[in-house]
Amino acid sequence: GAHQPQHAAGALEALEGTEEWLEAAARRDGWRATLEEAGRSVPPPLEGDWSPASGYRNGLVLARIPEVTAVFVASDEMAFGVIRALHEQGRRVPQDISVVGVDDIELAEYCSPSLTTVAQPFAQMGTLAVAHLLRHIADPGAVPEPASVEPQLVVRASTAQAGAPAPRRETP
């Protein structure tokens, strides 16, 4: 059945990818840690399957929760679905709900509103992976050097200024 998460005012929701993917767990854990560090409550994340359709289905759920003011979506493609569902249900992005995706795919800049997203440095990741593999081939007993890459937040129009949408006006 559909579960309706409990949310505090100004809740910051997450839509994660399928649990089998390491990326889904890492992105969800980063979202959770960031909220905890900020002293915010951590609602149970919604689950998607990386597709725009699963973003759309979850966006229909999020649209019915007035306390949600922001959603972190584990992929840009799911974020497109979330934005469409919110729009169809009369929730404005970013005025009512800010939406942030992950990957910075080419379409992110061209959707409406353009999508704020976490850019993954895929070329740098590939270069590091090949270098690691070549070192391993040359010296199988060598201890691998720790390597990490920094994702970059690309701020566009799908997020409200200062990260907080204006309070929604209730109509009589």
Side-chain angles (χ1 to χ4, degrees):
H3 97 277
Q4 184 96 352
Q6 297 298 312
H7 293 85
L12 307 174
E13 185 57 78
L15 171 55
E16 62 183 356
T18 53
E19 192 59 42
E20 304 85 58
W21 289 58
L22 291 175
E23 291 87 351
R27 293 171 188 185
R28 180 202 56 235
D29 293 347
W31 163 78
R32 178 179 289 130
T34 301
L35 285 182
E36 288 170 351
E37 288 169 19
R40 301 296 299 262
S41 64
V42 181
L46 300 172
E47 187 174 322
D49 64 10
W50 304 111
S51 71
S54 74
Y56 180 81
R57 287 190 303 273
N58 280 286
L60 293 174
V61 172
L62 291 168
R64 294 193 304 266
I65 307 170
E67 298 82 20
V68 173
T69 58
V71 60
F72 170 71
V73 186
S75 80
D76 290 347
E77 289 195 10
M78 287 194 300
F80 299 151
V82 168
I83 290 171
R84 177 174 171 184
L86 293 173
H87 173 75
E88 287 180 2
Q89 298 301 310
R91 300 292 302 272
R92 299 167 304 158
V93 176
Q95 295 90 336
D96 299 327
I97 300 179
S98 288
V99 178
V100 177
V102 177
D103 290 329
D104 194 26
I105 64 174
E106 192 172 355
L107 290 173
E109 186 176 356
Y110 298 98
C111 71
S112 183
S114 59
L115 183 63
T116 294
T117 183
V118 179
Q120 302 283 43
F122 291 116
Q124 184 185 2
M125 291 163 60
T127 300
L128 287 170
V130 169
H132 173 75
L133 180 61
L134 292 174
R135 278 193 304 273
H136 180 71
I137 290 169
D139 184 2
V143 176
E145 300 172 25
S148 65
V149 292
E150 274 302 307
Q152 178 185 353
L153 181 64
V154 180
V155 178
R156 295 193 180 106
S158 68
T159 48
Q161 294 296 331
R168 205 166 173 190
R169 292 181 200 194
E170 296 301 321
T171 53

